[in-house]
Amino acid sequence: MSDQVERYQILGYKEALTRTHHYPVACKELSLILREAYSKLPKNLQSLVFQDTLSSFKLLPQMWTNNAVSAAHLLVQSAEATLPKQKKNVATKEFKQAMVASKRRGKACRMQECHTELAQDVLVDIFSLLDTRSLVSASLVSRSWNAAACNNHLWQSLYATIFASDHNSSNAKDLLNGGRGEDNKDNNSVDWREAFKRAYIDNSSKRLTTSRGYCLYCDMIVWLDGLKCGSGKCGPQPKMQPIVPKSSEQVVEYLLDGSSSMMSSDSDSDLDDCFDEWYIPKLWAHPLNQYRPG
């Protein structure tokens, strides 16, 4: 097995494409690989990239977001611009079939949703498993989902998970009081979603929204779940997150030559190209009341 094939397998597209929150990023990276690296890859690796491209289209009907559809559109455009004629025709046909199936499934699901409504406590339990971006997206679906996604305990848990090393309850209250340091001993009186929003603005939004990083413990590029290494190989981790955020461009660079300065983070200018619509860089750009009537 060549080094490039081994690095490609480490990047983990096969599994990432099955996950709704990773699917758009995986499609974007595959699109970049097609445009920037495909012609430089050995034949066996070209075959793997092509198969993952087809898999991404086959899995599209299982995705639920506009980002997924947009990412698939970007990928098919790269396939049409890069692949030889026969493979291009196969990829285009697979994409068109996936779009038809996706529209049919979406219509069927909307009809089913009209007759199905989960209890609020069940929704809250389910939403407790989501990362920040997914929770915000869920709040835009319907009134019922919005109410569950705004549950104060959910946001307190997210706040503790992401900002534990930088903030405590007193810091959160201080943020909400505009830095006045007013005394408030009751944690239940804290609007944790608003506290999270303030802390989010104060911190680097780029770090909070990236889906890729170099894990110091695994010594490789990994997919991130809730800002943590998703490889499952790290074991117990210390409070300080051992992750260096990486852009899609750096992932392609890593595939080609195994470098991309794994131990160092991107400069701000390099990151600007990475954190686009796929990463929802402005997490709070849409008010939570902008959901579809349910």
PDB file of all heavy atoms in Angstrom, residues 254-288:
ATOM      1  N   TYR A 254      -1.979  17.466   2.818  1.00  0.00           N
ATOM      2  CA  TYR A 254      -1.543  16.295   3.586  1.00  0.00           C
ATOM      3  C   TYR A 254      -1.631  15.019   2.743  1.00  0.00           C
ATOM      4  O   TYR A 254      -0.738  14.177   2.770  1.00  0.00           O
ATOM      5  CB  TYR A 254      -2.406  16.163   4.838  1.00  0.00           C
ATOM      6  CG  TYR A 254      -2.324  14.825   5.529  1.00  0.00           C
ATOM      7  CD1 TYR A 254      -1.220  14.476   6.304  1.00  0.00           C
ATOM      8  CD2 TYR A 254      -3.352  13.894   5.394  1.00  0.00           C
ATOM      9  CE1 TYR A 254      -1.147  13.242   6.925  1.00  0.00           C
ATOM     10  CE2 TYR A 254      -3.284  12.658   6.018  1.00  0.00           C
ATOM     11  CZ  TYR A 254      -2.187  12.336   6.780  1.00  0.00           C
ATOM     12  OH  TYR A 254      -2.111  11.110   7.388  1.00  0.00           O
ATOM     13  N   LEU A 255      -2.717  14.886   1.981  1.00  0.00           N
ATOM     14  CA  LEU A 255      -2.880  13.703   1.139  1.00  0.00           C
ATOM     15  C   LEU A 255      -1.764  13.601   0.105  1.00  0.00           C
ATOM     16  O   LEU A 255      -1.219  12.519  -0.136  1.00  0.00           O
ATOM     17  CB  LEU A 255      -4.238  13.750   0.428  1.00  0.00           C
ATOM     18  CG  LEU A 255      -4.500  12.658  -0.614  1.00  0.00           C
ATOM     19  CD1 LEU A 255      -4.530  11.277   0.051  1.00  0.00           C
ATOM     20  CD2 LEU A 255      -5.819  12.922  -1.334  1.00  0.00           C
ATOM     21  N   LEU A 256      -1.388  14.730  -0.477  1.00  0.00           N
ATOM     22  CA  LEU A 256      -0.394  14.717  -1.546  1.00  0.00           C
ATOM     23  C   LEU A 256       1.024  14.442  -1.043  1.00  0.00           C
ATOM     24  O   LEU A 256       1.750  13.640  -1.640  1.00  0.00           O
ATOM     25  CB  LEU A 256      -0.419  16.049  -2.304  1.00  0.00           C
ATOM     26  CG  LEU A 256      -1.607  16.264  -3.233  1.00  0.00           C
ATOM     27  CD1 LEU A 256      -1.601  17.678  -3.789  1.00  0.00           C
ATOM     28  CD2 LEU A 256      -1.578  15.237  -4.373  1.00  0.00           C
ATOM     29  N   ASP A 257       1.405  15.114   0.046  1.00  0.00           N
ATOM     30  CA  ASP A 257       2.805  14.964   0.470  1.00  0.00           C
ATOM     31  C   ASP A 257       2.999  14.655   1.943  1.00  0.00           C
ATOM     32  O   ASP A 257       4.124  14.558   2.416  1.00  0.00           O
ATOM     33  CB  ASP A 257       3.615  16.213   0.096  1.00  0.00           C
ATOM     34  CG  ASP A 257       3.043  17.485   0.708  1.00  0.00           C
ATOM     35  OD1 ASP A 257       2.403  17.402   1.771  1.00  0.00           O
ATOM     36  OD2 ASP A 257       3.235  18.559   0.124  1.00  0.00           O
ATOM     37  N   GLY A 258       1.897  14.539   2.693  1.00  0.00           N
ATOM     38  CA  GLY A 258       2.012  14.145   4.101  1.00  0.00           C
ATOM     39  C   GLY A 258       2.471  15.238   5.023  1.00  0.00           C
ATOM     40  O   GLY A 258       2.776  14.979   6.178  1.00  0.00           O
ATOM     41  N   SER A 259       2.489  16.494   4.552  1.00  0.00           N
ATOM     42  CA  SER A 259       2.998  17.569   5.400  1.00  0.00           C
ATOM     43  C   SER A 259       1.872  18.446   5.916  1.00  0.00           C
ATOM     44  O   SER A 259       1.096  18.036   6.765  1.00  0.00           O
ATOM     45  CB  SER A 259       4.025  18.413   4.639  1.00  0.00           C
ATOM     46  OG  SER A 259       3.430  18.994   3.495  1.00  0.00           O
ATOM     47  N   SER A 260       1.772  19.655   5.407  1.00  0.00           N
ATOM     48  CA  SER A 260       0.775  20.681   5.777  1.00  0.00           C
ATOM     49  C   SER A 260       0.948  21.192   7.201  1.00  0.00           C
ATOM     50  O   SER A 260       0.015  21.692   7.806  1.00  0.00           O
ATOM     51  CB  SER A 260      -0.660  20.186   5.591  1.00  0.00           C
ATOM     52  OG  SER A 260      -1.096  19.407   6.677  1.00  0.00           O
ATOM     53  N   SER A 261       2.198  21.099   7.739  1.00  0.00           N
ATOM     54  CA  SER A 261       2.488  21.677   9.055  1.00  0.00           C
ATOM     55  C   SER A 261       1.480  21.240  10.099  1.00  0.00           C
ATOM     56  O   SER A 261       0.754  22.046  10.675  1.00  0.00           O
ATOM     57  CB  SER A 261       2.518  23.214   8.971  1.00  0.00           C
ATOM     58  OG  SER A 261       3.447  23.641   8.015  1.00  0.00           O
ATOM     59  N   MET A 262       1.433  19.944  10.336  1.00  0.00           N
ATOM     60  CA  MET A 262       0.411  19.390  11.220  1.00  0.00           C
ATOM     61  C   MET A 262       0.422  19.981  12.621  1.00  0.00           C
ATOM     62  O   MET A 262      -0.613  20.134  13.248  1.00  0.00           O
ATOM     63  CB  MET A 262       0.588  17.866  11.323  1.00  0.00           C
ATOM     64  CG  MET A 262       0.246  17.114  10.056  1.00  0.00           C
ATOM     65  SD  MET A 262      -1.496  17.251   9.613  1.00  0.00           S
ATOM     66  CE  MET A 262      -1.447  18.505   8.350  1.00  0.00           C
ATOM     67  N   MET A 263       1.581  20.315  13.134  1.00  0.00           N
ATOM     68  CA  MET A 263       1.649  20.764  14.515  1.00  0.00           C
ATOM     69  C   MET A 263       1.251  22.221  14.697  1.00  0.00           C
ATOM     70  O   MET A 263       1.025  22.669  15.807  1.00  0.00           O
ATOM     71  CB  MET A 263       3.077  20.571  15.056  1.00  0.00           C
ATOM     72  CG  MET A 263       3.476  19.113  15.197  1.00  0.00           C
ATOM     73  SD  MET A 263       2.487  18.252  16.422  1.00  0.00           S
ATOM     74  CE  MET A 263       3.080  19.038  17.915  1.00  0.00           C
ATOM     75  N   SER A 264       1.188  22.991  13.612  1.00  0.00           N
ATOM     76  CA  SER A 264       0.850  24.402  13.715  1.00  0.00           C
ATOM     77  C   SER A 264      -0.523  24.659  13.143  1.00  0.00           C
ATOM     78  O   SER A 264      -0.960  23.980  12.219  1.00  0.00           O
ATOM     79  CB  SER A 264       1.886  25.260  12.988  1.00  0.00           C
ATOM     80  OG  SER A 264       1.903  24.929  11.605  1.00  0.00           O
ATOM     81  N   SER A 265      -1.195  25.671  13.702  1.00  0.00           N
ATOM     82  CA  SER A 265      -2.520  26.023  13.208  1.00  0.00           C
ATOM     83  C   SER A 265      -2.391  26.941  12.017  1.00  0.00           C
ATOM     84  O   SER A 265      -1.329  27.492  11.731  1.00  0.00           O
ATOM     85  CB  SER A 265      -3.321  26.695  14.316  1.00  0.00           C
ATOM     86  OG  SER A 265      -4.629  26.981  13.869  1.00  0.00           O
ATOM     87  N   ASP A 266      -3.496  27.134  11.314  1.00  0.00           N
ATOM     88  CA  ASP A 266      -3.517  28.028  10.170  1.00  0.00           C
ATOM     89  C   ASP A 266      -3.382  29.468  10.628  1.00  0.00           C
ATOM     90  O   ASP A 266      -3.742  29.847  11.719  1.00  0.00           O
ATOM     91  CB  ASP A 266      -4.859  27.918   9.427  1.00  0.00           C
ATOM     92  CG  ASP A 266      -5.155  26.500   9.002  1.00  0.00           C
ATOM     93  OD1 ASP A 266      -4.223  25.830   8.562  1.00  0.00           O
ATOM     94  OD2 ASP A 266      -6.328  26.089   9.105  1.00  0.00           O
ATOM     95  N   SER A 267      -2.880  30.290   9.740  1.00  0.00           N
ATOM     96  CA  SER A 267      -2.959  31.722   9.985  1.00  0.00           C
ATOM     97  C   SER A 267      -4.386  32.164   9.738  1.00  0.00           C
ATOM     98  O   SER A 267      -5.164  31.471   9.104  1.00  0.00           O
ATOM     99  CB  SER A 267      -2.021  32.479   9.021  1.00  0.00           C
ATOM    100  OG  SER A 267      -2.486  32.345   7.692  1.00  0.00           O
ATOM    101  N   ASP A 268      -4.747  33.350  10.217  1.00  0.00           N
ATOM    102  CA  ASP A 268      -6.118  33.825  10.037  1.00  0.00           C
ATOM    103  C   ASP A 268      -6.496  33.918   8.581  1.00  0.00           C
ATOM    104  O   ASP A 268      -7.603  33.608   8.188  1.00  0.00           O
ATOM    105  CB  ASP A 268      -6.295  35.197  10.707  1.00  0.00           C
ATOM    106  CG  ASP A 268      -6.272  35.092  12.225  1.00  0.00           C
ATOM    107  OD1 ASP A 268      -6.489  33.971  12.725  1.00  0.00           O
ATOM    108  OD2 ASP A 268      -6.024  36.105  12.883  1.00  0.00           O
ATOM    109  N   SER A 269      -5.563  34.341   7.732  1.00  0.00           N
ATOM    110  CA  SER A 269      -5.887  34.489   6.318  1.00  0.00           C
ATOM    111  C   SER A 269      -6.134  33.147   5.662  1.00  0.00           C
ATOM    112  O   SER A 269      -6.994  33.009   4.789  1.00  0.00           O
ATOM    113  CB  SER A 269      -4.748  35.224   5.595  1.00  0.00           C
ATOM    114  OG  SER A 269      -3.526  34.492   5.719  1.00  0.00           O
ATOM    115  N   ASP A 270      -5.388  32.117   6.066  1.00  0.00           N
ATOM    116  CA  ASP A 270      -5.594  30.782   5.505  1.00  0.00           C
ATOM    117  C   ASP A 270      -6.938  30.213   5.945  1.00  0.00           C
ATOM    118  O   ASP A 270      -7.619  29.525   5.196  1.00  0.00           O
ATOM    119  CB  ASP A 270      -4.475  29.832   5.952  1.00  0.00           C
ATOM    120  CG  ASP A 270      -3.145  30.191   5.316  1.00  0.00           C
ATOM    121  OD1 ASP A 270      -3.173  30.815   4.242  1.00  0.00           O
ATOM    122  OD2 ASP A 270      -2.100  29.851   5.897  1.00  0.00           O
ATOM    123  N   LEU A 271      -7.314  30.513   7.176  1.00  0.00           N
ATOM    124  CA  LEU A 271      -8.555  29.959   7.693  1.00  0.00           C
ATOM    125  C   LEU A 271      -9.783  30.576   7.046  1.00  0.00           C
ATOM    126  O   LEU A 271     -10.830  29.958   6.976  1.00  0.00           O
ATOM    127  CB  LEU A 271      -8.639  30.184   9.212  1.00  0.00           C
ATOM    128  CG  LEU A 271      -7.903  29.160  10.074  1.00  0.00           C
ATOM    129  CD1 LEU A 271      -7.818  29.664  11.500  1.00  0.00           C
ATOM    130  CD2 LEU A 271      -8.574  27.810  10.029  1.00  0.00           C
ATOM    131  N   ASP A 272      -9.654  31.798   6.552  1.00  0.00           N
ATOM    132  CA  ASP A 272     -10.804  32.473   5.966  1.00  0.00           C
ATOM    133  C   ASP A 272     -11.408  31.670   4.829  1.00  0.00           C
ATOM    134  O   ASP A 272     -12.610  31.673   4.619  1.00  0.00           O
ATOM    135  CB  ASP A 272     -10.407  33.858   5.443  1.00  0.00           C
ATOM    136  CG  ASP A 272     -10.171  34.833   6.580  1.00  0.00           C
ATOM    137  OD1 ASP A 272     -10.663  34.562   7.690  1.00  0.00           O
ATOM    138  OD2 ASP A 272      -9.484  35.845   6.351  1.00  0.00           O
ATOM    139  N   ASP A 273     -10.577  30.967   4.060  1.00  0.00           N
ATOM    140  CA  ASP A 273     -11.077  30.164   2.951  1.00  0.00           C
ATOM    141  C   ASP A 273     -11.738  28.887   3.427  1.00  0.00           C
ATOM    142  O   ASP A 273     -12.528  28.288   2.710  1.00  0.00           O
ATOM    143  CB  ASP A 273      -9.932  29.808   1.991  1.00  0.00           C
ATOM    144  CG  ASP A 273      -9.373  31.034   1.302  1.00  0.00           C
ATOM    145  OD1 ASP A 273     -10.154  31.989   1.108  1.00  0.00           O
ATOM    146  OD2 ASP A 273      -8.183  31.037   0.979  1.00  0.00           O
ATOM    147  N   CYS A 274     -11.382  28.461   4.633  1.00  0.00           N
ATOM    148  CA  CYS A 274     -11.880  27.181   5.140  1.00  0.00           C
ATOM    149  C   CYS A 274     -13.275  27.298   5.726  1.00  0.00           C
ATOM    150  O   CYS A 274     -14.127  26.466   5.481  1.00  0.00           O
ATOM    151  CB  CYS A 274     -10.918  26.642   6.196  1.00  0.00           C
ATOM    152  SG  CYS A 274     -11.523  25.223   7.105  1.00  0.00           S
ATOM    153  N   PHE A 275     -13.509  28.361   6.508  1.00  0.00           N
ATOM    154  CA  PHE A 275     -14.744  28.425   7.278  1.00  0.00           C
ATOM    155  C   PHE A 275     -15.814  29.172   6.499  1.00  0.00           C
ATOM    156  O   PHE A 275     -16.134  30.304   6.772  1.00  0.00           O
ATOM    157  CB  PHE A 275     -14.475  29.079   8.633  1.00  0.00           C
ATOM    158  CG  PHE A 275     -13.478  28.303   9.414  1.00  0.00           C
ATOM    159  CD1 PHE A 275     -12.156  28.683   9.434  1.00  0.00           C
ATOM    160  CD2 PHE A 275     -13.850  27.156  10.088  1.00  0.00           C
ATOM    161  CE1 PHE A 275     -11.236  27.944  10.131  1.00  0.00           C
ATOM    162  CE2 PHE A 275     -12.935  26.420  10.787  1.00  0.00           C
ATOM    163  CZ  PHE A 275     -11.621  26.819  10.807  1.00  0.00           C
ATOM    164  N   ASP A 276     -16.370  28.506   5.490  1.00  0.00           N
ATOM    165  CA  ASP A 276     -17.386  29.097   4.635  1.00  0.00           C
ATOM    166  C   ASP A 276     -18.734  28.519   5.005  1.00  0.00           C
ATOM    167  O   ASP A 276     -18.976  28.115   6.129  1.00  0.00           O
ATOM    168  CB  ASP A 276     -17.060  28.849   3.156  1.00  0.00           C
ATOM    169  CG  ASP A 276     -16.855  27.361   2.883  1.00  0.00           C
ATOM    170  OD1 ASP A 276     -17.189  26.536   3.756  1.00  0.00           O
ATOM    171  OD2 ASP A 276     -16.375  27.019   1.789  1.00  0.00           O
ATOM    172  N   GLU A 277     -19.673  28.469   4.063  1.00  0.00           N
ATOM    173  CA  GLU A 277     -21.031  28.063   4.391  1.00  0.00           C
ATOM    174  C   GLU A 277     -21.127  26.645   4.912  1.00  0.00           C
ATOM    175  O   GLU A 277     -22.065  26.298   5.611  1.00  0.00           O
ATOM    176  CB  GLU A 277     -21.941  28.196   3.151  1.00  0.00           C
ATOM    177  CG  GLU A 277     -21.569  27.310   1.994  1.00  0.00           C
ATOM    178  CD  GLU A 277     -20.639  27.999   1.016  1.00  0.00           C
ATOM    179  OE1 GLU A 277     -19.891  28.891   1.454  1.00  0.00           O
ATOM    180  OE2 GLU A 277     -20.654  27.651  -0.163  1.00  0.00           O
ATOM    181  N   TRP A 278     -20.148  25.777   4.590  1.00  0.00           N
ATOM    182  CA  TRP A 278     -20.234  24.394   5.062  1.00  0.00           C
ATOM    183  C   TRP A 278     -20.081  24.335   6.578  1.00  0.00           C
ATOM    184  O   TRP A 278     -20.555  23.428   7.240  1.00  0.00           O
ATOM    185  CB  TRP A 278     -19.157  23.528   4.425  1.00  0.00           C
ATOM    186  CG  TRP A 278     -19.040  23.759   2.952  1.00  0.00           C
ATOM    187  CD1 TRP A 278     -17.943  24.191   2.267  1.00  0.00           C
ATOM    188  CD2 TRP A 278     -20.066  23.574   1.965  1.00  0.00           C
ATOM    189  NE1 TRP A 278     -18.233  24.292   0.938  1.00  0.00           N
ATOM    190  CE2 TRP A 278     -19.506  23.914   0.720  1.00  0.00           C
ATOM    191  CE3 TRP A 278     -21.398  23.156   2.027  1.00  0.00           C
ATOM    192  CZ2 TRP A 278     -20.242  23.854  -0.455  1.00  0.00           C
ATOM    193  CZ3 TRP A 278     -22.123  23.098   0.862  1.00  0.00           C
ATOM    194  CH2 TRP A 278     -21.540  23.445  -0.354  1.00  0.00           C
ATOM    195  N   TYR A 279     -19.376  25.310   7.162  1.00  0.00           N
ATOM    196  CA  TYR A 279     -19.093  25.255   8.589  1.00  0.00           C
ATOM    197  C   TYR A 279     -20.034  26.143   9.404  1.00  0.00           C
ATOM    198  O   TYR A 279     -19.896  26.253  10.620  1.00  0.00           O
ATOM    199  CB  TYR A 279     -17.650  25.714   8.843  1.00  0.00           C
ATOM    200  CG  TYR A 279     -16.629  24.821   8.208  1.00  0.00           C
ATOM    201  CD1 TYR A 279     -16.236  25.043   6.893  1.00  0.00           C
ATOM    202  CD2 TYR A 279     -16.065  23.766   8.899  1.00  0.00           C
ATOM    203  CE1 TYR A 279     -15.294  24.230   6.295  1.00  0.00           C
ATOM    204  CE2 TYR A 279     -15.124  22.958   8.294  1.00  0.00           C
ATOM    205  CZ  TYR A 279     -14.739  23.197   7.005  1.00  0.00           C
ATOM    206  OH  TYR A 279     -13.807  22.396   6.414  1.00  0.00           O
ATOM    207  N   ILE A 280     -20.963  26.805   8.741  1.00  0.00           N
ATOM    208  CA  ILE A 280     -21.858  27.747   9.409  1.00  0.00           C
ATOM    209  C   ILE A 280     -21.046  28.703  10.276  1.00  0.00           C
ATOM    210  O   ILE A 280     -21.119  28.684  11.502  1.00  0.00           O
ATOM    211  CB  ILE A 280     -22.920  27.038  10.264  1.00  0.00           C
ATOM    212  CG1 ILE A 280     -23.500  25.839   9.517  1.00  0.00           C
ATOM    213  CG2 ILE A 280     -24.021  27.992  10.660  1.00  0.00           C
ATOM    214  CD1 ILE A 280     -24.547  25.080  10.309  1.00  0.00           C
ATOM    215  N   PRO A 281     -20.208  29.552   9.647  1.00  0.00           N
ATOM    216  CA  PRO A 281     -19.316  30.412  10.424  1.00  0.00           C
ATOM    217  C   PRO A 281     -20.055  31.408  11.298  1.00  0.00           C
ATOM    218  O   PRO A 281     -19.570  31.785  12.347  1.00  0.00           O
ATOM    219  CB  PRO A 281     -18.499  31.131   9.350  1.00  0.00           C
ATOM    220  CG  PRO A 281     -19.336  31.101   8.131  1.00  0.00           C
ATOM    221  CD  PRO A 281     -20.109  29.806   8.212  1.00  0.00           C
ATOM    222  N   LYS A 282     -21.231  31.871  10.859  1.00  0.00           N
ATOM    223  CA  LYS A 282     -22.017  32.781  11.683  1.00  0.00           C
ATOM    224  C   LYS A 282     -23.150  31.981  12.314  1.00  0.00           C
ATOM    225  O   LYS A 282     -24.274  31.993  11.852  1.00  0.00           O
ATOM    226  CB  LYS A 282     -22.558  33.925  10.833  1.00  0.00           C
ATOM    227  CG  LYS A 282     -21.439  34.802  10.257  1.00  0.00           C
ATOM    228  CD  LYS A 282     -22.004  35.932   9.422  1.00  0.00           C
ATOM    229  CE  LYS A 282     -20.890  36.787   8.849  1.00  0.00           C
ATOM    230  NZ  LYS A 282     -21.414  37.888   8.010  1.00  0.00           N
ATOM    231  N   LEU A 283     -22.798  31.286  13.369  1.00  0.00           N
ATOM    232  CA  LEU A 283     -23.741  30.365  14.001  1.00  0.00           C
ATOM    233  C   LEU A 283     -25.025  31.052  14.396  1.00  0.00           C
ATOM    234  O   LEU A 283     -26.100  30.474  14.360  1.00  0.00           O
ATOM    235  CB  LEU A 283     -23.076  29.748  15.234  1.00  0.00           C
ATOM    236  CG  LEU A 283     -23.851  28.687  15.994  1.00  0.00           C
ATOM    237  CD1 LEU A 283     -24.089  27.482  15.109  1.00  0.00           C
ATOM    238  CD2 LEU A 283     -23.096  28.281  17.238  1.00  0.00           C
ATOM    239  N   TRP A 284     -24.918  32.316  14.749  1.00  0.00           N
ATOM    240  CA  TRP A 284     -26.087  33.034  15.260  1.00  0.00           C
ATOM    241  C   TRP A 284     -26.628  34.022  14.234  1.00  0.00           C
ATOM    242  O   TRP A 284     -27.308  34.965  14.568  1.00  0.00           O
ATOM    243  CB  TRP A 284     -25.713  33.765  16.548  1.00  0.00           C
ATOM    244  CG  TRP A 284     -25.176  32.830  17.547  1.00  0.00           C
ATOM    245  CD1 TRP A 284     -23.867  32.572  17.797  1.00  0.00           C
ATOM    246  CD2 TRP A 284     -25.915  31.955  18.397  1.00  0.00           C
ATOM    247  NE1 TRP A 284     -23.764  31.602  18.765  1.00  0.00           N
ATOM    248  CE2 TRP A 284     -24.983  31.213  19.153  1.00  0.00           C
ATOM    249  CE3 TRP A 284     -27.275  31.738  18.603  1.00  0.00           C
ATOM    250  CZ2 TRP A 284     -25.373  30.272  20.086  1.00  0.00           C
ATOM    251  CZ3 TRP A 284     -27.659  30.805  19.531  1.00  0.00           C
ATOM    252  CH2 TRP A 284     -26.712  30.087  20.263  1.00  0.00           C
ATOM    253  N   ALA A 285     -26.350  33.777  12.960  1.00  0.00           N
ATOM    254  CA  ALA A 285     -26.783  34.699  11.920  1.00  0.00           C
ATOM    255  C   ALA A 285     -28.299  34.724  11.788  1.00  0.00           C
ATOM    256  O   ALA A 285     -28.879  35.720  11.392  1.00  0.00           O
ATOM    257  CB  ALA A 285     -26.167  34.329  10.574  1.00  0.00           C
ATOM    258  N   HIS A 286     -28.967  33.603  12.094  1.00  0.00           N
ATOM    259  CA  HIS A 286     -30.412  33.521  11.962  1.00  0.00           C
ATOM    260  C   HIS A 286     -31.047  33.403  13.337  1.00  0.00           C
ATOM    261  O   HIS A 286     -30.701  32.520  14.111  1.00  0.00           O
ATOM    262  CB  HIS A 286     -30.806  32.302  11.118  1.00  0.00           C
ATOM    263  CG  HIS A 286     -30.141  32.297   9.785  1.00  0.00           C
ATOM    264  ND1 HIS A 286     -30.514  33.146   8.778  1.00  0.00           N
ATOM    265  CD2 HIS A 286     -29.113  31.563   9.306  1.00  0.00           C
ATOM    266  CE1 HIS A 286     -29.746  32.924   7.714  1.00  0.00           C
ATOM    267  NE2 HIS A 286     -28.897  31.980   8.018  1.00  0.00           N
ATOM    268  N   PRO A 287     -31.980  34.280  13.674  1.00  0.00           N
ATOM    269  CA  PRO A 287     -32.664  34.177  14.968  1.00  0.00           C
ATOM    270  C   PRO A 287     -33.361  32.837  15.112  1.00  0.00           C
ATOM    271  O   PRO A 287     -33.811  32.270  14.122  1.00  0.00           O
ATOM    272  CB  PRO A 287     -33.689  35.325  14.933  1.00  0.00           C
ATOM    273  CG  PRO A 287     -33.294  36.181  13.781  1.00  0.00           C
ATOM    274  CD  PRO A 287     -32.502  35.341  12.838  1.00  0.00           C
ATOM    275  N   LEU A 288     -33.466  32.358  16.331  1.00  0.00           N
ATOM    276  CA  LEU A 288     -34.073  31.054  16.547  1.00  0.00           C
ATOM    277  C   LEU A 288     -35.579  31.047  16.275  1.00  0.00           C
ATOM    278  O   LEU A 288     -36.188  29.994  16.236  1.00  0.00           O
ATOM    279  CB  LEU A 288     -33.816  30.600  17.991  1.00  0.00           C
ATOM    280  CG  LEU A 288     -32.382  30.173  18.268  1.00  0.00           C
ATOM    281  CD1 LEU A 288     -32.263  29.684  19.712  1.00  0.00           C
ATOM    282  CD2 LEU A 288     -31.930  29.093  17.328  1.00  0.00           C
TER     283      LEU A 288
END
